[in-house]
Amino acid sequence: MADTPKEKTETTVQIPKEDVEKAAKLVLDPGYVTKKDLPKMADLEWATALSDAVMKHFLNDDDDHDPYVYFEQFDFDGGDIDSIIFNMDIVKTRDAGLHKLSEALGEKIIDNKVQQTTY
């Protein structure tokens, strides 16, 4: 007998207006926001809600700016996983976002290069 799918329970994270405004300013200059700027971003659910709130801010409340806002999580050497919200008009690629997050938090990027010897 198949399992009955469980209903998804959505939790609603409330993001304070001041946090949205601070993140929006940072997305415009220097082009990204991390948990160094807003420590609550250490929590994935909060960081995701902040990203959504920042996107809505630019769509609904800021007629002067139209950044391409992108949210991403990256894992680092040692197992840390951290989030970044960035403006792809300034930070042009996901790889550049990874490097900005690494620099901001002092994390070491995982080296995925495979060392292989051909005989």
Side-chain angles (χ1 to χ4, degrees), residues 20-97:
V20 175
E21 290 172 354
K22 179 177 182 177
K25 285 179 186 176
L26 291 167
V27 163
L28 294 175
D29 183 35
Y32 60 92
V33 60
T34 71
K35 71 180 183 184
K36 187 173 180 182
D37 307 298
L38 290 165
K40 293 180 218 169
M41 280 187 67
D43 177 72
L44 173 59
E45 186 176 22
W46 198 90
T48 303
L50 176 64
S51 175
D52 292 341
V54 168
M55 285 188 233
K56 286 178 186 171
H57 167 81
F58 286 116
L59 289 172
N60 301 325
D61 302 325
D62 187 342
D63 294 335
D64 297 329
H65 302 97
D66 187 25
Y68 181 4
V69 178
Y70 196 81
F71 173 77
E72 186 70 63
Q73 280 203 301
F74 294 105
D75 56 335
F76 294 98
D77 194 25
D80 290 338
I81 299 173
D82 288 296
S83 304
I84 185 171
I85 301 168
F86 61 100
N87 179 348
M88 289 194 84
D89 297 326
I90 297 171
V91 180
K92 302 285 186 185
T93 64
R94 290 179 66 244
D95 190 56

Side-chain angles (χ1 to χ4, degrees), residues 3-9:
D3 288 337
T4 305
K6 295 180 182 176
E7 284 187 36
K8 271 191 170 180
T9 55

